[in-house]
Amino acid sequence: MAKKTAVIDLGSNSVRMVVFERTSRYGFFICSEHKKKVRLGENAYNNNKILQEEAMFKAEKALAYFKEKAVKEKCRKIIAVGTSALRDAPNAKEFITRISKNVGLNIKCINGKTESFLGGLAALNLLSNIQNATTIDIGGGSTELCLIKEGKIIDCISLDLGTVRLKEIFYDTKRLNALDQFIQEALMQVPKHFQSENIIAIGGSLRALSNSIMKKNSYPLKIIHNFSYSFEKEKNYIEKIQNAKNLIDFDIKKDRFDTIKEGCVIFLALAKKLKAKNIITSAVGVREGVFLSNLFQKYAKIKNDTNDFSQFNAKFPPNFNPSLKSLQDRFGVDYKDKSAYFASKLFDVFLPIHKISLDFKKDLLSAAKLAHIGEKINFYFANEHSAYMAMSGLNFGFSHKEILLIATLLKANGKKINPLAIEHVKELLPNNHILAWLNFILALAKKLAKDSDENLDFTLKNHTLYIYSTKKQIYFSREEIKKISKPKLIVLAFNQSN
């Protein structure tokens, strides 16, 4: 696969391009993202779904611009897909031919099930610990649902419910009295087994809603991906947005003003139908799904009558995270460093004392793998640099709580954590007991790794940690180790054995 790949998503409302760069077999990051509000489906839904010349012209200009950008960014591969407006249009082939001739891009028109699957594939792999959920991806022309059970995609469906479609057919023509019946008829196509407490919200409209809720609730982080909220608690607020006369009061971006109400109508109806309780926001969708299907070499060619998705399911290797690996690759992390190895052993040997859930061990090891990354920017204030890179670079596969914990541990680097410094994010962090122990273990592991690359052994007896080395001539930075903030009266004893 090419080192840099551009994926273009030609939707009914917008054209978007994301540029991905691989750093290793599965490690990757997003280099850039571009968006043009073209509205390919504009005036098509009231004209027998025929793409209109003005819309096609704007789309052609946008695609030419994106191709130029991709070439300048040295992308070796450009993948373009078209969704609802294109697959509905009787003149789709003529438009695809026109783009191929004038722009030099080959657009692949994907069916509704494939679109649904690609969004589900992205959410399954790039959100944090998704086991059972249903995705809702609201676009301009259609809405896709993807059912995930026990960490696998089970079923997919596409509905003719889109923000631009509803706007042109009902809102612009003042036919709102017929809107409810139209939506209810569409909902009848959703099988009962799609019901789920966990709903993954995909698409610009739902991200706009999540962003508004985050600001209303003064959420401490500015990360939309993996942000979750209770549907029951926020349902009335979403209804207020749907009926609002002034959307500025709700922190909705102006480019969403003309379709956000339609998005609310669709989302509220589907959330009720699916019996939603917890809404998880996804910043990834079809574009990331296309990239992953190529990365996994699972090219989705799903037929509309397909009921078996097992042949298309693909995931990253166990205990692998693409963002963590990408940071390690890009900043030349020394894989011989023993920080993570020692952190793992120390966590286990102290378990009888700290009694911390094993769930936190994963976050400790992730922090250990990034323990020296800040030094690649500047040795001075390296801890602050490491923390910043964790906060801004662990984009995929980590929850907000995990990202914040990793960054907090990296910044502390063994010094006592100031309660006032973390007061604004306290609700997302574990208690002081857990923080103190993980901070101590990480700092001790990092110091030991600095002094020795051999496999040290550890034994705990009566709150004394015995550290065994097989080398007679080994120096431990005992003065530096003494500076580490300890959660309890822990004594460290160094022994050298033959």
Side-chain angles (χ1 to χ4, degrees), residues 234-272:
E234 304 297 345
K235 182 173 65 173
N236 290 340
Y237 182 72
I238 297 172
E239 289 174 347
K240 287 181 181 179
I241 294 176
Q242 177 189 328
N243 300 314
K245 292 183 179 180
N246 189 356
L247 289 167
I248 294 178
D249 297 337
F250 296 90
D251 287 306
I252 302 294
K253 292 183 179 180
K254 288 185 178 180
D255 64 350
R256 287 286 166 191
F257 278 12
D258 58 345
T259 57
I260 191 65
K261 293 184 178 183
E262 292 84 345
C264 289
V265 169
I266 297 169
F267 180 58
L268 288 168
L270 276 170
K272 181 180 178 181

Side-chain angles (χ1 to χ4, degrees), residues 76-96:
R76 295 183 181 179
K77 193 170 190 177
I78 304 175
I79 306 171
V81 297
T83 54
S84 179
L86 197 59
R87 62 175 173 259
D88 287 347
N91 58 337
K93 289 184 179 179
E94 290 86 343
F95 174 74
I96 291 173

Side-chain angles (χ1 to χ4, degrees), residues 261-291:
K261 293 184 178 183
E262 292 84 345
C264 289
V265 169
I266 297 169
F267 180 58
L268 288 168
L270 276 170
K272 181 180 178 181
K273 172 79 175 181
L274 299 175
K275 298 185 177 180
K277 290 186 178 180
N278 185 44
I279 310 300
I280 306 159
T281 313
S282 173
V284 300
V286 170
R287 295 171 295 281
E288 288 77 13
V290 169
F291 174 77

